[in-house]
Amino acid sequence: WVCFWMGWVSSIFLLAQPPTNDNCASASLISFGSPPDPYAVGTFYSDTVDITSATLQAGEYIPSGVPNGKSVWYKFFLPTTRTVRIILRQVGTSIDPTHAGWTLYRTTGCLPGAAEVVDPPIRLMEGYTHACLKRGWYFVQVGANLAASGQIFLELIVSAPRIDAGAEAYYDHMATAQNLGLLSTSSS
């Protein structure tokens, strides 16, 4: 009987562990390409995590309107300007779409605040296209109500930069490479 009870208590304890990306410093890296190629374009996915036992960090900033009972973190690096569509997804339908949302930050460190928010914060489980994200590190904070229970992940659709949205030039993308002519190795 004691062994059964200890096993049951251990199972409950294991289920209650927060996800590995529960705090900003442990944000899950979303890499592009295989092997990781920071210049790759296409559709990329984060790790899937169970947000049920997630927590909030002391001092964690969450924009007004974004569900704020708990959070998990993801990060990615863009080596050049890109158009990026970010979509918060779930496995199944256990989380009400109004009980989770996300915020994108352009920053190099944790914990980001209001000054690093890339507008707009997304107040629902849905997607948004950022037409012109500049080179740099980005953190995605997924916030959820305390009652939210289930598995979530991010889908990122990365495409060529758009000049009409403020991209510096088309030549920073492999599909629109520019011919620079003949390069010489002469030292004279």
Side-chain angles (χ1 to χ4, degrees):
W1 168 252
V2 171
C3 289
F4 171 75
W5 184 79
M6 295 287 284
W8 182 75
V9 169
S10 297
S11 296
I12 296 298
F13 181 73
L14 289 175
L15 292 175
Q17 293 297 309
T20 58
N21 60 340
D22 187 51
N23 64 59
C24 183
S26 298
S28 263
L29 178 66
I30 302 171
S31 56
F32 304 137
S34 180
D37 173 6
Y39 290 95
V41 295
T43 302
F44 306 95
Y45 298 93
S46 71
D47 294 336
T48 298
V49 299
D50 190 329
I51 199 165
T52 306
S53 299
T55 65
L56 282 180
Q57 289 177 255
E60 186 170 347
Y61 172 79
I62 297 181
S64 176
V66 175
N68 62 9
K70 52 190 166 184
S71 68
V72 293
W73 291 84
Y74 298 92
K75 66 182 177 180
F76 62 92
F77 178 75
L78 294 177
T80 188
T81 303
R82 291 285 183 254
T83 296
V84 181
R85 178 163 178 77
I86 302 172
I87 307 165
L88 175 57
R89 304 258 190 218
Q90 66 175 309
V91 176
T93 58
S94 62
I95 303 173
D96 180 320
T98 64
H99 291 180
W102 57 272
T103 306
L104 179 66
Y105 299 91
R106 183 168 186 232
T107 184
T108 57
C110 295
L111 285 164
E116 290 99 358
V117 171
V118 178
D119 282 331
I122 307 301
R123 294 168 172 85
L124 300 169
M125 189 174 288
E126 64 181 5
Y128 182 82
T129 301
H130 294 276
C132 189
L133 289 183
K134 304 285 187 199
R135 177 185 196 281
W137 277 101
Y138 291 87
F139 284 74
V140 180
Q141 172 195 46
V142 176
N145 291 348
L146 285 173
S149 178
Q151 295 182 323
I152 56 113
F153 63 96
L154 294 176
E155 176 182 356
L156 276 67
I157 303 167
V158 181
S159 58
R162 289 181 32 201
I163 293 294
D164 65 327
E168 295 86 6
Y170 277 124
Y171 55 77
D172 64 355
H173 186 261
M174 64 186 173
T176 53
Q178 302 293 306
N179 182 352
L180 301 176
L182 180 62
L183 301 177
S184 171
T185 59
S186 172
S187 61
S188 54

